[in-house]
Amino acid sequence: MLQAIRSKAGSLIVKILFALLIISFGVWGIADVFRQRTAAETTVANVGGIKIQADELQVGVNRQMENLRRLYGSFTIEQAKQLGIIDGVLNNLIGSDLFMLEERRLQVMVDDQVVRDAIVANPNFHNSAGTFDPNLFKFVLSNNQLSEARYVSLVRQDTERAMLTSAVASGAAAPRALVDPLFRRQDEKRIADTVLVPLDKMTDLGEPSEADLQDGYDKHRASFRTPEYRGLTALVLRPDDLVGDIEVPEDKLRKEYDARLGEFQTPDRREIEQILVPDKAKAEDAMAQLAAGKDFVEVAKDVADQDESAVKFGWIERKDMPPVLGDAAFALAKNETSKPVEDGLGWHILRVTGIDAGGTKSFEEVRNQLKTDVARDMAADELFKEHNDIEDALAGGATLDRIAEKFKMKLTKVEAIDPDGNMPNGERGPLTDGDILHTAFNTESGQTTRLTETKDNGYFLLRVDSITPSAEKPLSEVKGQVKDIWLAEKRSAAAAAAAKDIAAAVAAGKSLVEVAGEKQLPVSTSPPVQRSAGGQSSLLASLVARIFELKPGETGISEGPNGWYVAQLKSIEVPDPAAAKTAVDQLSDQLTQGIQSDLLTEFDKALRGRYRVEIRQDEIDRAF
């Protein structure tokens, strides 16, 4: 883990320490001990007398949403509700409090010496000699905004939690009677010969009769419906509609530039390598080797046992470095090496391999961008000011045409549009905004909606002029589609019959290669496949499943997108658990973890029976 952090972290402080402050907390993690409980705040849940406040829940939900935004971009609170994130965070908070209550009931306590030993053993506080360094300990806590007393409290609570969860679940283990058979099943491999009877070789299917067409039409009526269409009159006003008419004062642009100056600045950076040694003697030894022309990375390996990933820090800003090291590094020219620099961690020798002096874009360089952004903000403010006036005009009976004229809103009329924004001729309609269409299709005919805000700070209102219900298309309009469906079904049936004939011939004693050759169809031998066909692109999952239903020598058929397959099982490779100790141990660990997780879940349920849990859904709804 430390090596991974060393190679990926971007801060020089992190690289020097080799790791951030990392503490593994069981079951529900460390988040609960940072919760600030304020009696005046709104209670969303009460767990045996411990109150969970709305702001605690909001902090946890926001943390989860930020993680999802990093992965997927935009992520709204409505999506969080749909995915159950709010309920999940609340359950975690409740679970943590339940464990806390049980720890108090059982009087679970940890001796001070145990806490001290845990801290001393934490490698994040070890110096380059591998021993606990009090100065490094204080330095790490300071950089993570933790007092020593607070950190000791966290370690104590974590240890107490670990003791309780260990008592509940640590004795559970997956029995060999479960592991070995499951391993044999999961890792069993089979090889089969396969033949594809392709759909495109099924010809001479004839023509459907009128009765066939009618029957096909009746079976697939749902496929031949027109969508519901609505005729709309809509008024839409967006900030971008007003931007062109807005004059942005020069002084406002200057103020915006000053306020966003950091956005237009590229920081001064250095690409840095470092040798870190525990004492002056080793530092002097390193300097002597460098002076003799030896490679920097080789010297680091020789005197400090540092590998290349620990030496090369990449591009670093000055703010990410301790002052004494920053002063030394940023005074160096490219490819220049510093003299040894001492601090609380040891002796540092720095080498600058690249310089990016950074800079600031001038006001004129970003003037157009600033003008567009400020104009858009001013337009949004103007629209907000007009909101009440538009509402008053609507309440006074003003028509949509009058409102459009008075407030310069774009008036759009569309005779017919479906929920996806398409018109009957298949073209895209003039209204494609999902929120506008959703509102339109949830409004009665003849009704005018209220003024509604759009996601880009604009507004719209609309009137539903007409509704054309969804209807079945008559057979005469879709006869060609019905015929295509009939032919596809006949083609699949013919391929299936051919596949069954091949399988029957093999079952009667012929070889698959012989029967397939008579029909000029190639035979393929599969690679060894397992039950889970994931990643096995050469075989369909449905075909793999069919192969695992067969006995050696048996044949079976399976449908695919391009035809029907005939498969004959050639061999079965049954794994020996005794010969695959590593894989079996991994499976055993997975099963054990699942069993332990189930035990902790049941323990949580038992605690909910012992301690009263009250959830105030009305307060949760108000908070979100």
Side-chain angles (χ1 to χ4, degrees), residues 312-381:
K312 295 181 180 292
F313 291 134
W315 290 94
I316 306 293
E317 296 177 33
R318 188 167 190 151
K319 66 181 178 61
D320 293 327
M321 303 180 69
V324 64
L325 298 181
D327 291 344
F330 279 75
L332 298 173
K334 184 176 180 180
N335 295 323
E336 186 178 1
T337 301
S338 74
K339 295 179 179 179
V341 180
E342 184 184 14
D343 71 358
L345 302 177
W347 291 78
H348 307 257
I349 300 173
L350 305 175
R351 181 170 180 261
V352 171
T353 57
I355 295 177
D356 180 356
T360 303
K361 291 184 179 179
S362 68
F363 173 76
E364 291 301 327
E365 287 179 293
V366 297
R367 181 189 184 90
N368 289 338
Q369 177 186 344
L370 291 171
K371 185 175 181 180
T372 299
D373 294 345
V374 173
R376 186 177 288 111
D377 290 341
M378 293 174 66
D381 292 341

Side-chain angles (χ1 to χ4, degrees), residues 138-333:
K138 294 176 182 178
F139 181 75
V140 174
L141 295 189
S142 175
N143 275 279
N144 285 273
Q145 299 179 344
L146 283 172
S147 66
E148 182 173 336
R150 181 63 169 163
Y151 177 70
V152 169
S153 175
L154 297 181
V155 174
R156 185 182 303 278
Q157 292 180 44
D158 174 48
T159 307
E160 291 172 349
R161 181 66 47 83
M163 288 172 64
L164 182 57
T165 56
S166 176
V168 173
S170 64
R176 298 297 297 190
L178 171 64
V179 176
D180 288 355
L182 185 58
F183 174 75
R184 292 189 187 96
R185 177 179 174 82
Q186 288 185 351
D187 278 43
E188 177 185 315
K189 296 178 181 178
R190 296 191 171 199
I191 298 174
D193 287 334
T194 63
V195 172
L196 172 64
V197 180
L199 296 176
D200 56 15
K201 286 189 175 291
M202 301 298 105
T203 56
D204 299 327
L205 301 173
E207 291 291 322
S209 65
E210 288 300 319
D212 291 332
L213 293 175
Q214 184 64 53
D215 181 59
Y217 174 76
D218 291 339
K219 283 195 284 187
H220 300 282
R221 282 179 180 272
S223 303
F224 307 126
R225 295 189 66 88
T226 61
E228 179 182 320
Y229 288 102
R230 297 203 169 197
L232 308 174
T233 299
L235 296 175
V236 183
L237 185 60
R238 303 183 186 277
D240 286 346
D241 297 331
L242 304 181
V243 166
D245 299 328
I246 291 180
E247 290 293 331
V248 182
E250 185 73 8
D251 64 329
K252 198 173 185 70
L253 287 179
R254 291 283 180 180
K255 288 180 180 178
E256 183 74 6
Y257 177 75
D258 292 339
R260 296 167 56 183
L261 187 60
E263 180 182 330
F264 308 125
Q265 292 177 329
T266 302
D268 189 8
R269 302 186 305 160
R270 297 292 185 272
E271 189 177 31
I272 295 175
E273 297 176 346
Q274 177 195 244
I275 298 173
L276 175 60
V277 291
D279 53 57
K280 186 176 181 181
K282 285 198 172 185
E284 291 175 346
D285 180 18
M287 291 299 294
Q289 293 189 44
L290 292 171
K294 194 171 181 180
D295 179 74
F296 196 89
V297 174
E298 291 182 9
V299 174
K301 177 65 176 175
D302 181 36
V303 301
D305 196 27
Q306 291 176 258
D307 59 25
E308 187 172 357
S309 64
V311 172
K312 295 181 180 292
F313 291 134
W315 290 94
I316 306 293
E317 296 177 33
R318 188 167 190 151
K319 66 181 178 61
D320 293 327
M321 303 180 69
V324 64
L325 298 181
D327 291 344
F330 279 75
L332 298 173

Side-chain angles (χ1 to χ4, degrees), residues 40 106 137 153 201 223 255 321 346 357 398 438 498 529 558-559 561 584 589:
L106 298 175
F137 173 68
S153 175
K201 286 189 175 291
S223 303
K255 288 180 180 178
M321 303 180 69
H438 177 78
V529 294
S558 176
E559 186 177 10
V584 171
D589 290 343

